[in-house]
Structures are given as C-alpha cells and as structure tokens.
Amino acid sequence: MPDIDGLVNEFVSKLENRKVEGSHATARSTAELLRSLISQQRLPFTNQSEALIEAVKVVGEKLTAANPVELAVGNIVKRVLHIIREEDLSAVTSDVGGLYLSAETDDEDIAECDYDHVASAAAVACRRILHRPSLHTLLENMGGDSEAKADRNLSTRKLKHNIIEAVNELLGEIDACHEQIAEQAGEYIHHNQVILTLGSSRTVLEFLNAAKDKKRSFRVFIAEGAPRYQGHVLAKELAKRGVQSTVITDSAVFAMISRVNMVIVGVHAVMANGGIIAPVGLRMVALAARTHAIPFVVVAGMHKLCPSYPHNLEVLLNDMRCPSELIEFGEFSNCMEFGIGSGSPLVHVVNPAFDYVPPELVSLFITDVGGHGPSFMHRLIADYYSAGDLVHQHKPSLPTVNSFLPHSDLLG
C-alpha cells in the first residue's frame, strides 16, 4: 500500500505545477486521497473521530495552500470533515439507542415509572462517550482485558468503514453530477429556443446534448471565450453531436443577446451568497442578460458549492494567466522595454482568468440535487457542511486579486 505522506506530497506537487486543474478533476482526486488517508490512519482508543478530523485538517491545509485557485479542493476537505462528524454522531446515537433497548422491561407500568431513570442513564452514556478519559481509565486500558480491546478494535473498524463508505458515495456523486444535471434539461430547454453560452464547459455540453436527445430543437450562440478560445472547442463538440451552433466574438454579446431566450453557463465555483466565480467575460454576459430580461442559468455540481463568501481572506477571486495567451512577445518587445527612468515596462499585459458575478445577476442554479435560486445556497451549505469547519483561520499563499491593475511581475 502506498505511503500516505508520499501520496499527499505527490498530489501537492501536481496542484502546485497545475498538472491537475478543473473543479471536477481536483474534487475527485482530493476525495480519493482523503479516503486513503482515513483508511491508513492509526487511531487512538478514545476520541477517534477527533483524531481523524485533525489528520484531515492537516492534509487539507496543505492541499488548499498548494493552489488556492482550486476552491473545489477545500470544498471536498470540508465535505469529508462533515462526513466524519455525522458518522461519529450516528455512532453515539446508536450507542444511546442500545442503552434504551437494554433498559426495556415487559412490565409497562415499571417502564413508565423508570423512564426518567433510563433517560438519565442515557445522558451518562453520552458523557462517557464524548468526554476525555481519566488517567485511571487509560492505565486500565493499557493492561485491560483482551475482550475490551477487541470491542474497541471492532468499533474503530466500524467507524472507518462507515466513513469510507460515505466518501465512496461522495465520489459517486462527483462522477454522476453531469448525468444528474443533464437529466433535467428537458424541463428547461424547449423547442425553437436560442441559447447563449460562453467558453467551454462539460456540464453545459452534456446538458445541451441531453436536450437534443429529448428531441428538442434549438440553436446555440457560443461566445468564443478569448484569449483561450474554449468556445471553439464547445462548438466542435456540439457539431459532433448534431447540435447547431453559431460562434460569436465576446464583444458581440450585447449585439446578439436580443435574439436569445436563455443564457446557460458553467462556472468555476458557487459562493455561499449565491454569487459565482466564472470564466472571464461572464459578468458582461450576465449584465447583457439582465438588461434584456433574459434568464441567466448556471449549471454546476454540488462539489462546486463553496461555503465561503467572496470577501473571505482564503478565497482567491482570480488567477492571472500567462501574457503570451494575449500577445506574442516578439511583436511587442520594443514596447516592453523598460522606460527611461520609469523602472517599469511601457506596456503591461493583464490576463485574468475569472469574473465574479453577484447573486442578483443569477436567475437559477441547476445542480445534481435540483434547481434552486441564489438565496437557497445557504440552505444547501447547512446540509453539506458543518458549521465548525467554516471558521476561517488561514490566508492563502497568494494574495486575493480584487482588481485588474497592472503588475510589473506579470511579464517576468
């Protein structure tokens, strides 16, 4: 079995060197790594869930610091922490339930009279489970009988098994998210509609393809998504599947939006306030949609739901891409020479990867658990995350980018 430290270091290296990118890939890899961590983690006789939580937190901090842009990594870490807490609570509840069952009697009158006694005994059991053991208890455990140790080992294996099964379900959720979202396409896309999107998104691709499979007849306008031109990739994929599309420049969005019935886009992350971090250019699309009263619909798996707000320090709102995606250095080499006495280049190149779109510009989220409005995101966060894991205690290794002012180190 591979050493867990080696697996962690290998994945950290991949994140730092961007060999693993994209919310789906990073979310799945993170869940697989944490599953291995839980499987190999040696646990003490007591406070086993706390030991697992601490181990996951330590690894999670390393992963999120390796590439703060990939918010899905932190999302999955917090999801796994929530799973551990839920399984531990379930085990405690089961133990208390067993105590109630053992206290049952055939005499109903006696059972009614002793109800308070049983309840108090259950409370004592909870305290014994949740409180740290005394030194006397620890010394007894060191030389205790083999039967007690066997029971503890069985309890440890059961806790790990339940947690790993839940993480496997999380992996299944990540793998099936595109299919689950695509199944809802027939409810939102109708005959003769014109749909606008920007760039390339696998979730959008599967969603549109599912609508075609349901015999819907529609057209797609694709803003090309400069400077990486991912819209060209989406147009080719749709053509392979028999979906008619029209590629337009990003600057033509306002000119074409009046012909559109609906905007459907994929995103990088969904924030706790219902805002989104999306490919650059989508805020312009969202503003155009609002100007013409056109629905702006986001399709996203639950692994993209981030329990943080845009103003939180650990949220990296943007990523500056290589200037060579915009211009050829040879063509502008003279302009990029340092000005006399200025100490900086005469031409700066800024190439942000993302836009932040506020919740008031979003009409609907279509997720693998159904359609929801932006204001419902906090309810989903309460279901999928534990409040104790949402305390923000560290800053990313890179600064938060809230504006696109020139930086002298972008041309390095």
Side-chain angles (χ1 to χ4, degrees):
M1 183 176 293
D3 175 59
I4 190 63
D5 290 334
L7 292 175
V8 171
N9 292 334
E10 180 183 0
F11 188 44
V12 166
S13 176
K14 288 182 178 179
L15 288 172
E16 289 176 341
N17 297 309
R18 307 204 173 192
K19 293 182 179 179
V20 179
E21 285 189 297
S23 298
H24 188 272
T26 54
R28 198 181 199 292
S29 297
T30 302
E32 289 177 338
L33 177 63
L34 294 181
R35 180 179 61 183
S36 299
L37 170 67
I38 293 166
S39 176
Q40 298 184 32
Q41 185 70 23
R42 295 179 64 88
L43 299 179
F45 288 139
T46 57
N47 301 318
Q48 296 172 348
S49 62
E50 291 182 14
L52 273 179
I53 287 172
E54 184 61 27
V56 170
K57 282 185 175 180
V58 169
V59 172
E61 288 179 0
K62 292 181 180 178
L63 300 183
T64 53
N67 189 354
V69 172
E70 296 294 351
L71 297 176
V73 173
N75 298 346
I76 297 302
V77 171
K78 293 183 179 70
R79 288 282 297 272
V80 172
L81 290 172
H82 178 69
I83 287 172
I84 296 172
R85 297 181 192 279
E86 289 290 302
E87 292 300 332
D88 183 51
L89 179 61
S90 178
V92 171
T93 305
S94 177
D95 289 340
V96 174
L99 179 61
Y100 273 104
L101 289 175
S102 64
E104 286 183 355
T105 176
D106 294 333
D107 190 336
E108 294 181 1
D109 294 335
I110 296 176
E112 290 178 3
C113 294
D114 287 347
Y115 177 80
D116 292 337
H117 173 73
V118 174
S120 63
V124 171
C126 284
R127 288 196 294 272
R128 287 177 178 174
I129 293 170
L130 296 176
H131 285 188
R132 296 181 180 275
S134 65
L135 178 61
H136 176 71
T137 303
L138 291 175
L139 291 174
E140 280 187 344
N141 289 340
M142 291 175 63
D145 58 8
S146 58
E147 183 178 349
K149 290 184 178 180
D151 289 343
R152 285 193 294 268
N153 290 336
L154 178 62
S155 175
T156 298
R157 289 196 298 269
K158 184 177 180 181
L159 177 64
K160 278 190 173 183
H161 172 77
N162 292 342
I163 293 173
I164 289 173
E165 284 297 310
V167 175
N168 286 336
E169 291 178 6
L170 174 59
L171 281 165
E173 171 193 313
I174 296 171
D175 289 338
C177 70
H178 299 112
E179 180 181 350
Q180 295 292 329
I181 294 171
E183 286 180 356
Q184 306 170 61
E187 302 176 22
Y188 298 100
I189 297 179
H190 306 290
H191 285 294
N192 300 322
Q193 281 193 327
V194 178
I195 296 164
L196 172 68
T197 189
L198 181 142
S200 180
S201 163
R202 181 184 169 189
T203 314
V204 172
L205 173 63
E206 298 297 338
F207 193 79
L208 296 176
N209 187 60
K212 176 186 174 295
D213 291 341
K214 296 179 184 296
K215 308 302 180 183
R216 300 291 194 268
S217 176
F218 58 92
R219 291 186 60 190
V220 183
F221 285 170
I222 305 174
E224 59 184 358
R228 305 181 74 186
Y229 301 106
Q230 291 297 302
H232 299 177
V233 177
L234 180 62
K236 291 178 182 178
E237 290 296 326
L238 289 175
K240 290 178 183 177
R241 306 185 188 203
V243 178
Q244 185 179 16
S245 63
T246 302
V247 177
I248 63 174
T249 61
D250 299 338
S251 56
V253 166
F254 263 97
M256 304 297 292
I257 195 72
S258 60
R259 309 181 187 185
V260 172
N261 302 109
M262 182 187 302
V263 176
I264 301 178
V265 297
V267 297
H268 178 68
V270 179
M271 308 308 293
N273 64 341
I276 59 174
I277 297 178
V280 68
L282 269 182
R283 180 156 185 159
M284 173 186 64
V285 175
L287 289 170
R290 185 177 68 173
T291 300
H292 290 265
I294 294 169
F296 185 89
V297 178
V298 174
V299 289
M302 289 305 300
H303 61 277
K304 294 185 178 183
L305 178 60
C306 181
S308 300
Y309 292 85
H311 61 267
N312 291 143
L313 292 177
E314 80 280 2
V315 177
L316 194 65
L317 285 181
N318 225 311
D319 182 27
M320 292 301 178
R321 296 284 185 174
C322 181
S324 64
E325 292 182 350
L326 287 177
I327 61 173
E328 291 290 338
F329 179 76
E331 298 179 7
F332 287 81
S333 57
N334 293 335
C335 303
M336 292 182 179
E337 292 180 356
F338 285 81
I340 300 175
S342 66
S344 63
L346 297 175
V347 174
H348 294 270
V349 179
V350 180
N351 184 17
F354 301 118
D355 265 345
Y356 171 70
V357 181
E360 55 267 23
L361 297 181
V362 179
S363 305
L364 179 70
F365 288 98
I366 302 176
T367 72
D368 35 338
V369 294
H372 307 285
S375 60
F376 195 77
M377 291 302 105
H378 74 280
R379 294 282 301 275
L380 293 177
I381 287 173
D383 290 339
Y384 285 90
Y385 298 96
S386 296
D389 301 322
L390 306 185
V391 178
H392 311 294
Q393 297 177 337
H394 66 280
K395 299 180 182 180
S397 58
L398 298 176
T400 301
V401 180
N402 291 318
S403 63
F404 302 143
L405 297 177
H407 294 278
S408 59
D409 58 346
L410 291 177
L411 301 175

